Amino acid sequence: MPRTPQFHRETALNNALQLFWRQGYHATSMKDIEEAMDMRPGSIYAAFGNKESLFKEALDSYFAMVEEDFKNTIAKQPSVLQGFRQYLKNIAKADESCAPTKACMLVKTLLEFTPEDKAFSEPVHAYLDSIEAMFTEALSEAQSRGELSRQSSPEKLARLIQTNVIGLRTMARRSISQSQLEALVDDVVARIIPVN
């Protein structure tokens, strides 16, 4: 009879995700990982492989979380464009009780590794491409519903929104007040999300 694992895999992985998201890959030691996951080195290797494979799995989880958050936000609004507005506004409202940092883990990883570090940079590029495609798909849906002008390009607007999401998350790391950040989000929303 197989032994029952002495840990909850999803909880352990989430703890690793939070640690990598806060500290980055290089600044995170195996000792940090052991403490965050409350696991011995042998158990970590048996369950997740080495540090690199654990980090990649944490990136997978982060992307899944971003995807779910976006889709849930869109679904809760009466229109797709209102969903985009709310998604951008949520960036300003997020605090460290729900995330270790407001910075995007994908962008942090992209900046931490050079393009030559393909094992890390290529998956991040693929995730960012997937997010842009997800935005494009939602905007195409908005266009088919008549929320977005036929003259608008969902692809170009998706890239513009993604650029602003990255910028807003970066600004959120600066020591600016919550009210300033919310005002900045309002300005971004007013400039890039069409009024339907």
Side-chain angles (χ1 to χ4, degrees):
M1 175 182 290
R3 292 178 56 193
T4 303
Q6 296 299 307
F7 75 103
H8 188 278
R9 194 176 198 287
E10 191 175 320
T11 301
L13 180 59
N14 185 60
N15 290 344
L17 164 61
Q18 299 291 315
L19 177 65
F20 283 129
W21 189 357
R22 183 174 56 252
Q23 295 185 182
Y25 180 82
H26 289 110
T28 300
S29 68
M30 279 308 297
K31 189 70 178 165
D32 294 333
I33 293 168
E34 291 165 34
E35 289 175 8
M37 298 177 80
D38 193 24
M39 293 172 69
R40 294 184 182 273
S43 299
I44 294 171
Y45 286 112
F48 299 98
N50 61 17
K51 178 182 171 182
E52 180 179 326
S53 61
L54 174 61
F55 183 74
K56 287 179 180 175
E57 193 165 343
L59 279 177
D60 287 343
S61 292
Y62 179 82
F63 171 72
M65 186 174 64
V66 168
E67 184 177 41
E68 182 180 9
D69 177 52
F70 174 74
K71 290 182 176 177
N72 286 342
T73 302
I74 295 291
K76 289 177 183 173
Q77 297 300 317
S79 76
V80 174
L81 294 184
Q82 286 174 315
F84 270 101
R85 288 187 197 103
Q86 189 59 51
Y87 182 72
L88 291 168
K89 289 181 177 188
N90 288 348
I91 293 171
K93 293 177 186 171
D95 61 33
E96 293 187 6
S97 65
C98 59
T101 170
K102 289 185 177 184
C104 172
M105 184 177 176
L106 298 175
V107 174
K108 282 183 72 173
T109 303
L110 193 63
L111 296 175
E112 184 175 2
F113 292 96
T114 67
E116 290 72 36
D117 292 313
K118 294 189 184 300
F120 296 96
S121 62
E122 285 184 352
V124 171
H125 282 286
Y127 290 133
L128 291 171
D129 287 345
S130 294
I131 291 169
E132 191 175 316
M134 181 173 65
F135 288 176
T136 300
E137 183 180 351
L139 291 163
S140 295
E141 175 65 21
Q143 199 169 50
S144 71
R145 293 181 186 181
E147 296 176 40
L148 189 61
S149 161
R150 287 284 170 197
Q151 282 68 49
S152 297
S153 165
E155 293 81 8
K156 287 183 180 178
L157 186 54
R159 182 160 288 179
L160 181 60
I161 291 171
Q162 185 177 49
T163 300
N164 278 273
V165 166
I166 292 168
L168 287 169
R169 290 195 185 281
T170 303
M171 289 297 288
R173 292 204 67 192
R174 294 183 55 202
S175 54
I176 63 174
S177 70
Q178 186 69 27
S179 61
Q180 286 176 309
L181 185 59
E182 288 175 7
L184 181 59
V185 170
D186 287 340
D187 286 343
V188 168
V189 167
R191 283 175 171 79
I192 68 169
I193 304 295
V195 176
N196 56 343

